[in-house]
Amino acid sequence: MLQGPYSSLDRDRLLIRLPFKSFAVGTVLLPVTGFIACIFISLLYHYEDATYTHCKVSNYLPSISSAISRVPERYIWRGCIGLHSAPRYLVAFAYFSFYRSRFANRLLELLLSGLALLCSLAENTGLVMLTYVSSTETYSVHKYGFITFIGSSLVHMLITCRLWYVIKRHYVSPEEVTSYRWKLRLFLFNISCCVIAAYFFRRHNKYCEAGIYSLFAAFEYLVVFSNMAFHMTAFWDFGSKEVTVATPPEDKRY
């Protein structure tokens, strides 16, 4: 659970106490580290296979799907995403609780908060799906997982920016203003990279030009990194909070 810095929990029953900033950094570092490791290993040990395309033209970077589909890259990525997914679900519900307290008397924002929760859960589920079902195993499941991840991610970012625009107008603090500005910048950057990546992917499939698939892969990387950075803005949103795990107090009434 998320608690303030001066929690009333019985210290004898407290099992884990972790600053949310450390929790947020650790959660995001898992996929970042796994992603970089998979790209590096693919280029170093599986270059020909990882950069191969149906066009058989020169290519210099593997796509994300290609980089996470071989051994040991597959297991590195799956391990990092598996460890990172549970905290992501926790954060999704923490945001929903946060929004409900801020927008108790604003029906539209409450509805958007619920939609943001659903999109966040769908985004994380889509990521888990495309991670554990590689494109070389069951392509259709991997594809739908990718579509779910990208689609729900963009909608979640858009709704989050809208909610934090309202927060910035009515509850001004330096951390909230900084958080809103970075959310908006990262959303605009992310959607721009998505459009550019889609353009290069279509151009590669239509014309089979040398190096175009590498440009698609590069912008695909930027989509992933900007998505991770967007979620890292929780660093400001819950900076004064703590994640605690504790045993419930025993009921002394008989």
Side-chain angles (χ1 to χ4, degrees):
M1 67 178 75
L2 290 177
Q3 295 288 341
Y6 303 105
S7 171
S8 61
L9 287 172
D10 184 353
R11 287 185 174 274
D12 292 337
R13 303 184 183 281
L14 187 65
L15 301 178
I16 298 174
R17 180 189 294 273
L18 184 67
F20 192 88
K21 290 184 178 181
S22 300
F23 180 78
V25 171
T27 299
V28 175
L29 279 180
L30 281 168
V32 169
T33 303
F35 181 71
I36 293 174
C38 288
I39 298 297
F40 178 78
I41 294 172
S42 294
L43 290 173
L44 191 60
Y45 296 105
H46 307 131
Y47 181 80
E48 295 297 331
D49 289 340
T51 58
Y52 174 82
T53 68
H54 72 282
C55 292
K56 298 181 180 179
V57 295
S58 298
N59 185 36
Y60 313 104
L61 290 174
S63 66
I64 295 176
S65 297
S66 179
I68 65 174
S69 62
R70 292 169 178 80
V71 177
E73 298 95 312
R74 180 190 308 168
Y75 301 115
I76 293 173
W77 182 245
R78 287 179 179 179
C80 290
I81 293 302
L83 292 171
H84 139 281
S85 61
R88 278 282 301 276
Y89 285 119
L90 172 64
V91 172
F93 284 102
Y95 266 114
F96 182 64
S97 177
F98 171 79
Y99 292 143
R100 282 198 307 170
S101 65
R102 286 297 181 96
F103 303 124
N105 300 315
R106 300 177 67 93
L107 179 59
L108 176 60
E109 281 71 25
L110 282 175
L111 293 175
L112 288 175
S113 300
L115 184 57
L117 173 63
L118 293 177
C119 288
S120 182
L121 297 177
E123 176 188 347
N124 200 29
T125 302
L127 178 59
V128 172
M129 186 188 303
L130 70 89
T131 294
Y132 283 89
V133 182
S134 69
S135 59
T136 57
E137 294 172 340
T138 308
Y139 178 75
S140 60
V141 176
H142 181 86
K143 181 181 73 173
Y144 290 127
F146 179 79
I147 292 172
T148 300
F149 169 71
I150 290 295
S152 56
S153 170
L154 291 174
V155 176
H156 174 258
M157 288 184 182
L158 177 61
I159 294 173
T160 300
C161 288
R162 170 67 175 79
L163 292 174
W164 279 86
Y165 173 74
V166 176
I167 290 174
K168 182 180 73 72
R169 289 177 57 192
H170 295 88
Y171 310 95
V172 179
S173 74
E175 292 81 9
E176 289 170 347
V177 172
T178 300
S179 179
Y180 166 73
R181 288 175 178 172
W182 276 107
K183 281 178 169 65
L184 183 60
R185 292 167 186 167
L186 289 166
F187 167 66
L188 294 175
F189 181 77
N190 184 272
I191 197 170
S192 299
C193 290
C194 284
V195 171
I196 296 172
Y199 164 75
F200 283 124
F201 183 78
R202 183 176 181 276
R203 181 170 168 176
H204 164 75
N205 287 328
K206 186 174 183 179
Y207 300 110
C208 284
E209 300 169 278
I212 293 299
Y213 198 73
S214 297
L215 291 174
F216 158 72
F219 279 96
E220 192 181 29
Y221 300 168
L222 292 177
V223 169
V224 170
F225 280 125
S226 58
N227 175 273
M228 295 174 184
F230 187 93
H231 289 291
M232 179 63 91
T233 59
F235 183 92
W236 289 296
D237 302 340
F238 299 105
S240 63
K241 304 296 183 182
E242 292 179 334
V243 179
T244 60
V245 178
T247 57
E250 295 180 2
D251 190 352
K252 299 299 183 182
R253 293 172 296 178
Y254 296 96

